[in-house]
Amino acid sequence: MKKTKITLLAATLLMGGSLLAACSSDSDTSASSSADTTASTATTESTDDVVSTASISDQTSVIEKALSADGNWIVAVTDDITFDADVTVDGEFHDKGDDASDIYRKFALYSQDDDRNVTAEYTVTVPKLVVNSENFNIVHGVIKGDIEVNANGFVLNGAKVEGNVTFTSQEFQDSATLDEEGASVTGDVTVSE
């Protein structure tokens, strides 16, 4: 019990520092101060009480883990990154990490200022991004590579795909939104079934 309290206290302090860095009023709002900050997840041994925040990084290993089933509901890159192998987006997540909220997952490829104006967009280069998470939303930036969609509710919100988008069923394609806020796909959009 004592170990759990210490672990929970340490995780809370880490998250508080992350939130302070993210809410800083410094004039440099490109998220560089939080580039090395990744969210931690703390759980107690006796309950399903989970505290989580965004995973924010420019490191491929951090982003890959954050997009996995063991990751977070929101993942943000702080610079251009390149993966040498396919990356899989997996797991069920809820808006703001709240299980009572809708199923939702966000991949933010941009920085913003205090007024939420986009100040920079980033490119993620990957052979293939395999999307297994429902309601996965890629916001701004560029995915340079192909995307395979195996879930409902896929969204491109201001994001550009320099590659093909392949849906593994007509249902997945019908539930997708590929043109929100000027999003685009330079390659083919197809259904593989």
Side-chain angles (χ1 to χ4, degrees):
M1 181 72 171
K2 185 175 181 181
K3 183 177 180 182
T4 301
K5 287 182 182 179
I6 292 171
T7 303
L8 188 55
L9 177 61
T12 303
L13 291 173
L14 283 172
M15 287 186 301
S18 297
L19 290 173
L20 288 175
C23 297
S24 173
S25 62
D26 292 346
S27 59
D28 178 15
T29 58
S30 66
S32 61
S33 63
S34 60
D36 295 325
T37 304
T38 56
S40 59
T41 301
T43 61
T44 61
E45 291 175 4
S46 60
T47 69
D48 292 329
D49 183 24
V50 177
V51 180
S52 67
T53 59
S55 288
I56 303 169
S57 182
D58 63 356
Q59 302 297 310
T60 56
S61 60
V62 172
I63 297 300
E64 185 171 17
K65 181 171 179 169
L67 290 171
S68 76
D70 296 323
N72 293 304
W73 77 274
I74 184 170
V75 180
V77 299
T78 58
D79 204 348
D80 296 342
I81 60 174
T82 299
F83 293 95
D84 295 327
D86 296 351
V87 174
T88 300
V89 179
D90 229 339
E92 181 177 285
F93 294 84
H94 296 262
D95 194 15
K96 312 258 183 308
D98 180 356
D99 287 346
S101 296
D102 292 338
I103 295 173
Y104 177 75
R105 198 153 192 206
K106 180 177 180 179
F107 192 23
L109 310 182
Y110 67 98
S111 293
Q112 64 186 10
D113 62 19
D114 291 339
D115 296 321
R116 296 190 175 196
N117 297 310
V118 174
T119 57
E121 294 190 35
Y122 306 113
T123 299
V124 172
T125 303
V126 59
K128 184 191 293 183
L129 184 67
V130 179
V131 177
N132 297 330
S133 288
E134 187 176 351
N135 297 333
F136 184 65
N137 186 359
I138 302 174
V139 185
H140 294 294
V142 176
I143 298 290
K144 192 178 284 189
D146 295 332
I147 299 177
E148 176 185 302
V149 181
N150 303 308
N152 283 312
F154 178 71
V155 176
L156 294 178
N157 182 352
K160 296 177 180 28
V161 177
E162 294 180 5
N164 302 315
V165 176
T166 303
F167 294 90
T168 56
S169 79
Q170 188 65 50
E171 176 188 345
F172 298 153
Q173 183 179 30
D174 292 346
S175 70
T177 304
L178 301 182
D179 57 0
E180 192 168 309
E181 299 286 324
S184 64
V185 177
T186 62
D188 295 326
V189 176
T190 59
V191 176
S192 66
E193 64 178 2

